């Protein structure tokens, strides 16, 4: 999951009170551990009955690690790199980051404009916002 700037600010405001990237993502991981996932018309909602994370699906490709390394080889800028399986998030050059990932097939998504990269066995999501849960989301959580 990649976070928009708005989602980072909302998570920092509602969960962590700090704006450090590692704290924001660790709070996100702990929130998702207890959350219920609901898909509504292409939108994915994660709720714990009190707060809700709203995300949308991204067009990620399922590639072998060698293919991912080829695509990221010539990038010299620093990116926000997310390896979802080991819950690893760093701001670094993609080729350095890819050295830490074990061989295998992963979903891969890269946004060159926003300088973000996602690698993981689950399909990539873009978190749009983090807000208080609506009434129907609170009821959904308590009845599941």
């Amino acid at each position: 999951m990649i976070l928009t700037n708005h989602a980072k600010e909302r998570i920092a405001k509602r969960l962590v009170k700090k704006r450090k990237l590692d704290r924001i993502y660790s709070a996100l991981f702990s929130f998702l551990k207890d959350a219920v996932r609901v898909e509504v018309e292409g939108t994915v909602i994660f709720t714990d009955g009190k707060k809700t994370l709203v995300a949308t699906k991204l067009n990620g490709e399922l590639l072998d690690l060698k293919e991912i390394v080829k695509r990221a080889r010539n990038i010299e800028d620093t990116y926000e790199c997310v390896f979802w399986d080991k819950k690893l998030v760093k701001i670094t050059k993609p080729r350095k980051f890819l050295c830490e990932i074990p061989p295998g097939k992963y979903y891969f998504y890269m946004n060159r404009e926003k300088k973000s990269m996602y690698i993981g066995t689950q399909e990539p999501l873009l978190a749009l916002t983090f807000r208080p849960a609506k009434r129907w989301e609170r009821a959904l959580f308590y009845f599941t």
Side-chain angles (χ1 to χ4, degrees):
M1 180 176 305
I2 296 175
L3 300 174
T4 60
N5 287 334
H6 177 74
K8 284 180 197 169
E9 291 295 319
R10 298 295 97 199
I11 291 171
K13 177 182 177 183
R14 289 180 168 70
L15 289 180
V16 215
K17 310 296 188 235
K18 301 273 181 178
R19 301 215 185 305
K20 291 185 178 180
L21 188 66
D22 58 337
R23 288 197 179 184
I24 290 173
Y25 270 95
S26 74
L28 173 67
F29 295 139
S30 64
F31 169 79
L32 291 175
K33 183 174 54 176
D34 299 327
V36 174
R37 178 183 172 140
V38 181
E39 292 192 31
V40 181
E41 299 176 13
T43 302
V44 182
I45 297 171
F46 296 92
T47 186
D48 69 352
K50 297 175 189 158
K51 295 179 176 50
T52 299
L53 178 76
V54 180
T56 186
K57 293 181 181 180
L58 294 171
N59 295 328
E61 300 175 77
L62 188 60
L63 299 173
D64 193 56
L65 185 62
K66 292 177 185 176
E67 277 294 315
I68 295 171
V69 170
K70 283 182 187 176
R71 290 190 181 194
R73 179 178 41 208
N74 297 327
I75 298 173
E76 293 298 321
D77 294 334
T78 58
Y79 277 56
E80 180 180 307
C81 302
V82 178
F83 181 47
W84 194 253
D85 299 356
K86 291 201 177 180
K87 305 200 178 348
L88 180 65
V89 180
K90 289 185 179 180
I91 296 178
T92 185
K93 293 183 180 182
R95 69 172 180 260
K96 282 177 91 175
F97 183 74
L98 291 171
C99 295
E100 300 177 31
I101 298 174
K105 282 196 166 258
Y106 299 105
Y107 282 100
F108 174 70
Y109 176 81
M110 185 181 328
N111 186 332
R112 292 182 187 268
E113 293 174 8
K114 301 291 182 183
K115 296 189 177 184
S116 59
M117 182 175 79
Y118 170 88
I119 298 172
T121 54
Q122 297 178 2
E123 289 189 79
L125 298 173
L126 177 67
L128 301 174
T129 190
F130 189 74
R131 58 174 169 73
K134 294 182 178 178
R135 181 173 290 142
W136 71 270
E137 294 165 346
R138 289 192 296 270
L140 175 80
F141 178 77
Y142 292 114
F143 290 115
T144 56

